[in-house]
Amino acid sequence: MANFKTCDNGHNFDADKHSVCPYCPNSVTISDYEKTLSEFKKTQVFEEQSGSQFDKTMINEETRELKTTLPGSDAPTHPFSRTTIATKNEPNIAGSSTRIQSEKRRIVGWLVTFSLDEFGQDYKLFVGKNIIGSDAKADITVTDSSVSGNHATILFRENEFLIKDNFSTNGTKINGIMTDEGKLKDGDELKCGNTVFKFKTVF
């Protein structure tokens, strides 16, 4: 024989089959609701980035407009008084021409090449040291396997452009002549590995 009960809203249901009224839309109990909120607050979602560890950016903000009412309570309350967002810090990405400068430096010249792109690529030269190489940390990153990671350094000092080969595998040439150290003049041809640059100065 069925064990019928009547809920507070007047619905009749079989208590042997249902612990709470299946016809009431708010059949969740206060304890279940509060438990869900508690578990949600403890949850942090992280995005996987190539399986590596990363720094977290934590954003905590109070939201006063969002309100809800607990079952069985007339007082509105904020379910998530604090929101935590964990994201990966964006790295400094080395551009195709120059990496992000740690401090603002004056532009004093350019290197232009058609070896890697038929439409040409240009690289800015700044006051001080400018490292040329295939390494992403180089000031001028060249995607050429014949160029060493730290291939050469161009230094602008006292209105002169000096260049030094950094013990690269395939060497550095100025106007077709292999050199370890030298000076650059406007219009000179500079070759690092198989990549040929035209040097231009603002002076």
Side-chain angles (χ1 to χ4, degrees):
M1 182 175 179
N3 180 19
F4 285 102
K5 286 187 178 181
T6 303
C7 72
D8 294 339
N9 294 322
H11 300 130
N12 294 319
F13 65 96
D14 190 345
D16 292 334
K17 296 182 179 179
H18 306 283
S19 58
V20 295
C21 177
Y23 306 109
C24 291
N26 296 324
S27 59
V28 64
T29 63
I30 294 178
S31 60
D32 289 340
Y33 187 79
E34 290 178 337
K35 181 179 179 181
T36 301
L37 292 181
S38 176
E39 292 300 320
F40 183 87
K41 291 177 185 179
K42 296 178 183 178
T43 301
Q44 293 180 343
V45 179
F46 299 94
E47 295 182 3
E48 292 220 6
Q49 296 288 340
S50 302
S52 61
Q53 294 182 342
F54 53 82
D55 295 330
K56 295 184 295 182
T57 301
M58 308 301 290
I59 303 174
N60 294 317
E61 58 180 15
E62 297 289 338
T63 307
R64 302 182 183 279
E65 297 180 358
L66 178 62
K67 299 290 184 180
T68 188
T69 302
L70 288 171
S73 172
D74 296 328
T77 182
H78 192 308
F80 319 120
S81 60
R82 190 172 295 275
T83 301
T84 301
I85 302 174
T87 60
K88 182 181 185 300
N89 285 346
E90 292 190 5
N92 286 340
I93 301 175
S96 60
S97 58
T98 59
R99 66 178 177 179
I100 298 173
Q101 301 296 314
S102 58
E103 59 182 18
K104 196 171 181 66
R105 297 191 290 169
R106 186 162 56 98
I107 297 173
V108 291
W110 294 268
L111 292 177
V112 180
T113 180
F114 293 90
S115 299
L116 307 173
D117 187 335
E118 63 177 325
F119 295 102
Q121 288 179 285
D122 66 300
Y123 302 87
K124 296 176 183 177
L125 296 174
F126 296 89
V127 170
K129 291 183 178 180
N130 300 266
I131 298 174
I132 304 172
S134 57
D135 194 298
K137 294 180 181 179
D139 297 293
I140 299 173
T141 303
V142 183
T143 55
D144 180 354
S145 60
S146 67
V147 174
S148 299
N150 184 353
H151 194 101
T153 300
I154 294 177
L155 173 66
F156 178 79
R157 183 169 60 193
E158 297 180 352
N159 293 326
E160 283 190 325
F161 288 90
L162 308 175
I163 185 165
K164 181 179 181 297
D165 182 80
N166 297 329
F167 300 100
S168 64
T169 302
N170 295 308
T172 301
K173 293 181 179 180
I174 300 176
N175 298 323
I177 300 173
M178 189 73 72
T179 183
D180 292 327
E181 293 184 2
K183 293 183 180 181
L184 288 173
K185 301 185 299 297
D186 188 60
D188 277 350
E189 180 185 277
L190 174 66
K191 186 175 183 181
C192 295
N194 295 326
T195 301
V196 178
F197 299 97
K198 177 69 73 173
F199 169 70
K200 297 297 292 182
T201 174
V202 299
F203 303 105

